Amino acid sequence: MQLNDHWRKIVKTLIFAVLCTEMQTTYTHRDLAAKRGIGLAEMDAIAAAGGEDRFRQKMMEAPHHVSIRLLAQERDYFGKGHICSGALVAPSVVLTVSSCIFSQVKRSYYHPSELRVMLGNPQRFAPHDQGLIYGVTHIHQPPKDLALAILMLENDVPTDHPYIQPISLPSPGATSVLDSESSNLLKISTWGYDSNIRELHDLVTLNATHTSCHQQQSKSPRICVQSEATNSTSGHVYMDAGATLTERDRLLGLRSMDGGFEDVASHVEWILAKIGDGGNQNSSIWGILGFLLFTGYVITISSKSFST
């Protein structure tokens, strides 16, 4: 009878371990609102004020755009943890500038567990049903001569999501020099601050033209552009780090902390070498290894208890 009790405990422990490895930190904005005590009626009123058509239009202007957030600050209220922007370039791969995920306080890169990535919502401070929050399983820090970082998400973004779409990378070996025909098709998407230094709630899309870089002091190549006001913006916009510069459906650059856009084309070979097929492979492998190690530990402890 005592032997059966021991095996029951082992089975229960293994079941609990399986459930833990299957748990994900991905959740919808509605779930997050409920966790933080935001009333659903209040959340729906926020969405209604902007209008679903306006929401859809905003999101489809930059379906690749993401908000990178610090979990510790995000627990205070939705949107507080936003530290920079980034771009989804594969089902579970986000690019941003490396300075975005470097803590000036700790003088080191953030741990993946400290970060969350918001996708599918152009509103910084308002949750939305279609929005997703993903955890980060791994960060690829760049070599010394490059300036972009790769964030691996815990799950692949659903391919049929109506408001989220990865953006294409430049082809390996492609030049970052923009010709005159493409220069009037450049778009910048960003959060940040308005001319009164107020945080922008809505994602802003700006037209841009290619310009020459003057007195460039950077460890990696950059693209310089001049942004132009649109009907949806008035006054100057102070852009986010990680703001995306695109040409049609191609990612050209990500804005650095000190201005200018880090040239994605010069990073492409390194990016492709790190991400493989761009799917969620790292987290599943480590989850399986962790489960096997835990199982071995439980069996070892149980065997010792039987022998005594």
Side-chain angles (χ1 to χ4, degrees), residues 87-106:
L88 182 73
V89 297
S92 65
V93 181
V94 166
L95 291 185
T96 190
V97 289
S98 59
S99 54
C100 159
I101 55 171
F102 185 84
S103 171
Q104 296 296 334
V105 176
K106 298 188 298 182

Side-chain angles (χ1 to χ4, degrees), residues 201-212:
H201 169 60
D202 288 321
L203 186 68
V204 172
T205 302
L206 304 169
N207 297 324
T209 54
H210 183 217
T211 62
S212 299

Side-chain angles (χ1 to χ4, degrees), residues 147-160:
L148 299 183
I150 303 170
L151 277 58
M152 302 299 297
L153 304 182
E154 62 183 347
N155 278 332
D156 289 351
V157 173
T159 57
D160 59 350

Side-chain angles (χ1 to χ4, degrees), residues 65-83:
H65 201 99
V66 309
S67 167
I68 299 170
R69 305 183 170 201
L70 287 177
L71 178 60
Q73 295 183 20
E74 194 70 359
R75 285 172 174 151
D76 292 340
Y77 61 84
F78 189 85
K80 180 182 179 181
H82 174 85
I83 52 175

Side-chain angles (χ1 to χ4, degrees), residues 57-62 186-191 202-207 228-233 246:
Q57 178 185 359
K58 280 279 185 184
M59 198 61 241
M60 294 314 296
E61 288 177 350
L186 303 182
K187 298 285 186 181
I188 298 171
S189 58
T190 184
W191 280 290
D202 288 321
L203 186 68
V204 172
T205 302
L206 304 169
N207 297 324
E228 302 171 1
T230 64
N231 293 334
S232 61
T233 61
T246 61

Side-chain angles (χ1 to χ4, degrees), residues 15 22 46 54 74 85-86 93 104 133 151 176 182 224 230 232 245 248 251 254 274 282 284 286 293 295:
I15 291 173
E22 290 299 317
I46 293 174
R54 181 170 176 270
E74 194 70 359
S85 294
V93 181
Q104 296 296 334
I133 298 283
L151 277 58
S176 62
S182 66
C224 296
T230 64
S232 61
L245 175 67
R248 293 194 178 96
L251 180 65
L254 293 163
K274 292 294 184 183
N282 295 340
S284 58
W286 287 112
L293 288 173
T295 302

Side-chain angles (χ1 to χ4, degrees), residues 84-233:
C84 61
S85 294
L88 182 73
V89 297
S92 65
V93 181
V94 166
L95 291 185
T96 190
V97 289
S98 59
S99 54
C100 159
I101 55 171
F102 185 84
S103 171
Q104 296 296 334
V105 176
K106 298 188 298 182
R107 303 302 301 171
S108 64
Y109 285 95
Y110 291 114
H111 189 273
S113 63
E114 296 181 86
L115 301 174
R116 292 295 182 270
V117 177
M118 180 187 78
L119 310 95
N121 185 359
Q123 300 172 335
R124 175 178 169 179
F125 296 104
H128 191 274
D129 279 346
Q130 295 290 348
L132 296 175
I133 298 283
Y134 282 1
V136 177
T137 62
H138 187 72
I139 297 173
H140 292 292
Q141 300 171 15
K144 290 183 179 181
D145 58 336
L146 298 179
L148 299 183
I150 303 170
L151 277 58
M152 302 299 297
L153 304 182
E154 62 183 347
N155 278 332
D156 289 351
V157 173
T159 57
D160 59 350
H161 195 288
Y163 299 136
I164 305 175
Q165 183 67 46
I167 190 167
S168 300
L169 292 169
S171 300
T175 176
S176 62
V177 176
L178 304 171
D179 58 39
S180 58
E181 292 182 0
S182 66
S183 62
N184 59 357
L185 300 174
L186 303 182
K187 298 285 186 181
I188 298 171
S189 58
T190 184
W191 280 290
Y193 298 86
D194 64 14
S195 56
N196 296 315
I197 318 300
R198 293 176 301 193
E199 294 173 315
L200 294 173
H201 169 60
D202 288 321
L203 186 68
V204 172
T205 302
L206 304 169
N207 297 324
T209 54
H210 183 217
T211 62
S212 299
C213 293
H214 300 290
Q215 297 179 344
Q216 179 178 342
Q217 295 180 347
S218 173
K219 62 183 180 181
S220 60
R222 287 189 178 177
I223 302 172
C224 296
V225 298
Q226 178 66 46
S227 62
E228 302 171 1
T230 64
N231 293 334
S232 61
T233 61

